[in-house]
Structure formats: C-alpha cells, structure tokens
C-alpha cells in the first residue's frame, strides 16, 4: 500500500460546482498535512495546511479524519482558474510524502 | 524576497556530460530538498539537507550528488548524465523537516 494515495482523476466539473477530493495515508502517527496545487509545467504551490479541527480559506475547506486516516479538500463555487492538479502532502516521522495528485478540470 | 531560485531554467545535455543545478533560498530556511518530476508522475525526492552541513539520500539518489554550500544554497550535480535523467528538477526549502515546503520554478533538463 502506498504511504499516501490520491484518486488521479481527472475530475471534470462545471464552473460553479462544488467538488471534493480525499487523500488517504497509511501511517497513523503522521503529524501534519498540507494541500498543494500544481499548474501545468509549474512548481507546486502551498494551498493550505490542514489542521485537526478543520480549516477554511475562502472557497476552500480542508478537513482531517485521523480515525479513518484521510484528509479532504472541498472547493465551493469552482472557477475556471481552479483547474490544476491538487497534491496531498503528509508529514510522517519528519519525512514529507507527496501524493501523486488529483487532476481537476473546470469547464465553462 | 525572491523565495527559492533555480538556475538554469532549461538545459540540454549529451549522454555522459556533467552539470550542476543551482538552488538558493532567501527565507532563512534550515531544510532544503531536490525532487524530480517525470511527465504525468508525482514528485520523487532525490536528496535533502535537513540543516546546514548535513545531506541525506531520498527515494532516487543514484546518479546524483549534492552539496549544501551554506544555509542559502543547495546544489545538485549530475556527474555523467543519462537519458533516464531527462526530467523537471525542483528545489524546495522549508523552515525544518516536516514543515511546509516552498518550491523554486524548476529546471527542465533533457539528456540526448
């Protein structure tokens, strides 16, 4: 089993829709979690950290479920500019592990 | 602040040639990393430096060497380039291991 797993997608949704993706991790002792976005041929950029209590940044909400060992990212009122690959990142014993990413495509 | 900078942006090498990829950060971060990303694939860690003066192997270190020149700079060297090393190389830095990482713009390397 991979240490961090994501559905590769692509998720193809209309503008204005709400979309959510999950990411599962295998090490129950994992300590910190992040979501990054990566545009085509660009570097990954930090989208948000994921806190135990869940956190929101504008249209984006991140949640952590330690019991089931997954984190989620919810995007509300999606925009064309949200089209990107979303990478789940898990800190496990001071080792940062990147998921392979979920591709999101927003259509007009 | 420039964040993380990488040079060069693009490079074409012939098999067997050597080159050094440069990376610098101005965020006073302790930890620095080198990744490669192949088309349609995730990031794979080549080497990292948890703090100035230390370096450790990542997932795919073969064919590469690194130098943590000082706190700001972390270079990646290909001693004898092979076509399998054609990839996009990203450098990243973080306040410490386990913290969020900030990436440079990448170097697109082609080995023919």
């Amino acid at each position: 089993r991979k240490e961090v797993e994501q559905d590769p997608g692509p998720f193809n949704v209309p503008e204005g829709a709400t979309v959510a993706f999950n990411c599962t991790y295998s090490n129950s002792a994992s300590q910190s979690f992040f979501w990054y976005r990566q545009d085509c041929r660009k570097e990954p950029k930090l989208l948000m950290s994921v806190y135990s209590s869940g956190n929101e940044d504008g249209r984006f909400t991140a949640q952590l479920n330690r019991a089931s060992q997954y984190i989620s990212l919810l995007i509300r009122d999606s925009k064309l500019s949200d089209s990107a690959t979303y990478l789940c990142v898990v800190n496990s014993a001071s080792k940062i592990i990147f998921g392979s990413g979920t591709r999101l495509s927003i259509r007009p | 602040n420039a964040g993380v900078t990488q040079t060069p942006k693009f490079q074409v090498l012939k098999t067997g040639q050597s080159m050094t990829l440069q990376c610098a950060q101005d965020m006073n971060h302790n930890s620095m990393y080198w990744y490669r990303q192949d088309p349609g694939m995730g990031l794979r860690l080549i080497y990292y430096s948890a703090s100035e003066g230390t370096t450790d192997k990542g997932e795919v270190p073969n064919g590469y060497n690194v130098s943590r020149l000082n706190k700001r700079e972390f270079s990646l060297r290909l001693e004898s380039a092979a076509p399998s090393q054609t990839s996009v190389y990203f450098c990243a830095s973080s306040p410490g291991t386990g913290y969020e990482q900030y990436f440079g713009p990448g170097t697109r390397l082609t080995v023919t």
Side-chain angles (χ1 to χ4, degrees):
Chain A
R1 183 186 172 188
K2 284 186 183 177
E3 291 180 275
V4 176
E5 289 199 76
Q6 296 184 252
D7 181 340
F11 286 57
N12 189 331
V13 303
E15 201 174 1
T18 294
V19 61
F21 352 103
N22 286 346
C23 163
T24 59
Y25 60 94
S26 61
N27 186 347
S28 60
S30 296
Q31 297 151 320
S32 51
F33 310 85
F34 310 94
W35 283 104
Y36 282 70
R37 72 170 278 166
Q38 186 174 24
D39 294 291
C40 189
R41 298 177 68 78
K42 297 283 193 182
E43 73 272 24
K45 290 188 177 171
L46 179 66
L47 182 64
M48 57 199 302
S49 301
V50 186
Y51 303 124
S52 296
S53 54
N55 48 302
E56 192 173 302
D57 182 1
R59 297 180 294 108
F60 297 84
T61 299
Q63 300 222 304
L64 166 63
N65 185 317
R66 284 197 182 273
S68 301
Q69 294 181 209
Y70 73 87
I71 64 171
S72 63
L73 179 67
L74 180 84
I75 306 175
R76 286 182 299 278
D77 186 24
S78 53
K79 314 287 185 197
L80 295 175
S81 58
D82 293 333
S83 296
T85 296
Y86 290 83
L87 307 174
C88 159
V89 182
V90 175
N91 168 22
S92 180
S94 290
K95 187 172 72 162
I96 288 282
I97 304 166
F98 281 79
S100 298
T102 297
R103 263 184 46 211
L104 174 65
S105 179
I106 308 296
R107 63 180 187 270
Chain B
N1 284 353
V4 180
T5 56
Q6 291 183 236
T7 55
K9 286 188 167 48
F10 301 93
Q11 184 71 49
V12 179
L13 291 178
K14 293 189 189 310
T15 297
Q17 287 185 318
S18 61
M19 78 161 297
T20 299
L21 281 63
Q22 307 286 356
C23 174
Q25 52 91 10
D26 63 2
M27 295 176 281
N28 200 35
H29 283 170
N30 290 312
S31 304
M32 297 185 74
Y33 312 81
W34 277 105
Y35 293 90
R36 61 177 288 175
Q37 187 174 38
D38 299 312
M41 295 185 67
L43 293 161
R44 291 187 291 171
L45 183 64
I46 304 170
Y47 271 94
Y48 69 101
S49 170
S51 60
E52 189 179 355
T54 70
T55 59
D56 284 290
K57 294 178 180 179
E59 183 187 350
V60 289
N62 290 347
Y64 305 95
N65 284 300
V66 290
S67 294
R68 183 76 183 266
L69 304 167
N70 48 54
K71 192 171 186 180
R72 288 189 64 244
E73 298 173 287
F74 189 37
S75 62
L76 178 72
R77 183 159 177 84
L78 286 70
E79 289 292 351
S80 179
S84 60
Q85 294 177 305
T86 293
S87 191
V88 180
Y89 291 85
F90 290 107
C91 176
S93 71
S94 67
T97 55
Y99 289 83
E100 70 280 4
Q101 295 181 13
Y102 298 88
F103 284 79
T107 294
R108 281 163 179 75
L109 175 67
T110 301
V111 184
T112 61

